[in-house]
Amino acid sequence: MNRLWRANARVVGSTDGREEEGAVSVVLAHGYGASQAVWHKLVPSLSQRHKLLLFDWDFTATGAGKDDQEVYTFGRFADELIAVMEERGVGASGAVVVAHSMSAMAACIAAQRRPDLFAHIFLVCASPRYINSEEEGYVGGFDEAAIQGMLAAMESDFDAWVKGFVPNAAGDASAVEHLSKSFLAMDPGVAVKLAKMIFLGDQREVLDGVKTPCTIVQVKADFAAPPSVAEYMQLRMKGTAATVEIIDSVGHFPQLVAPQQLLDILDGVLRLREAAAAAEHDAGSVEITDGIDVAM
């Protein structure tokens, strides 16, 4: 398995010496067609108070996943997420992992495999299944014929598909140029393989095993992952405290078109995690009558 993509991982930001007070590290995991650059509107604010881990999955232009024999699965991405967190020393005391689009289900799997690394999973525009299932009453947003048609268009002329797909995914003209460059930087063969993994897959059973506290953030007008998917995910995550937040925006990339709304929700989660960590730290010591605190 190619690991050269890890060379693109970087840790930025500062905890300002607040680790002992429960400062929380943040991992930013981008989705399909993007790179770590997709977080550029969030990084300046987040890095003032938190240590951030950013990286590129190996399907980006800077990645190395262009081997025709490469096999992509959500489980593989979960293992790579765990590996990069360990290698960069992020998550030793539990990190808040912000996972966009396809990274969301990888994060759910990774949190089950290594719960010690994950204090909270923050899922942005997530979907465990894109294809509708009438017999189950599940609305994923697409019928299978539409997905097969999209995949055929990608295989036929990837560049033309990108030019048609990106404006809908962006939701705002201001994000089209950024995303077009990012999507077109992918190797077309790799892009199609990943698209099949994502759009034909069914990861709904993964939700049953999620134990890590979770925030599911969906965009009100996201053609790829409608709010009904977020509601389904919340109901199925019976093993944890899962909440849903809806951003009043359009498109599949709120970090580009509605960054402040996304930051506001994330900041609330981070402050709660810091308060919880600080409380745990305080509970770990007992005050002795002579005024000396002894760690438990």
Side-chain angles (χ1 to χ4, degrees), residues 105-221:
M105 298 314 299
C108 286
I109 296 170
Q112 293 174 51
R113 294 179 176 178
R114 286 294 305 277
D116 57 304
L117 295 177
F118 295 75
H120 197 100
I121 47 178
F122 190 90
L123 310 180
V124 182
C125 298
S127 178
R129 174 69 166 168
Y130 288 89
I131 298 175
N132 301 328
S133 178
E134 292 185 10
E135 62 273 16
E136 298 173 284
Y138 175 75
V139 180
F142 301 88
D143 57 40
E144 187 166 1
I147 294 294
Q148 294 292 354
M150 181 190 74
L151 294 172
M154 293 176 71
E155 291 180 316
S156 174
D157 189 335
F158 182 69
D159 286 11
W161 174 79
V162 168
K163 291 175 182 177
F165 178 83
V166 164
N168 287 329
D172 188 279
S174 64
V176 170
E177 183 178 0
H178 174 104
L179 290 173
S180 293
K181 290 180 179 179
S182 184
F183 270 76
L184 289 171
M186 289 191 294
D187 177 84
V190 170
V192 171
K193 280 188 175 183
L194 277 167
K196 290 179 178 179
M197 179 197 83
I198 295 165
F199 291 105
L200 297 178
D202 187 349
Q203 304 301 312
R204 287 177 292 174
E205 289 187 0
V206 170
L207 302 174
D208 300 333
V210 175
K211 305 297 182 186
T212 303
C214 178
T215 301
I216 306 165
V217 181
Q218 224 77 344
V219 173
K220 187 175 182 180

Side-chain angles (χ1 to χ4, degrees), residues 262-273:
L262 189 59
L263 275 170
D264 289 344
I265 299 169
L266 179 55
D267 186 61
V269 169
L270 291 169
R271 291 185 184 279
L272 286 174
R273 291 308 312 166

Side-chain angles (χ1 to χ4, degrees), residues 46-115:
L46 289 174
S47 62
Q48 291 180 20
R49 298 179 57 244
H50 302 279
K51 180 168 68 176
L52 310 180
L53 169 61
L54 299 100
F55 64 93
D56 293 320
W57 292 119
D58 67 358
F59 56 78
T60 66
T62 54
K66 297 178 173 61
D67 185 343
D68 287 341
Q69 303 304 312
E70 195 77 68
V71 176
Y72 294 100
T73 66
F74 282 101
R76 175 202 137 158
F77 284 110
D79 288 340
E80 293 187 348
L81 176 58
I82 291 168
V84 75
M85 290 174 68
E86 289 183 325
E87 289 181 358
R88 295 293 173 164
V90 174
S93 58
V96 172
V97 177
V98 181
H100 176 242
S101 195
M102 60 149 276
S103 288
M105 298 314 299
C108 286
I109 296 170
Q112 293 174 51
R113 294 179 176 178
R114 286 294 305 277

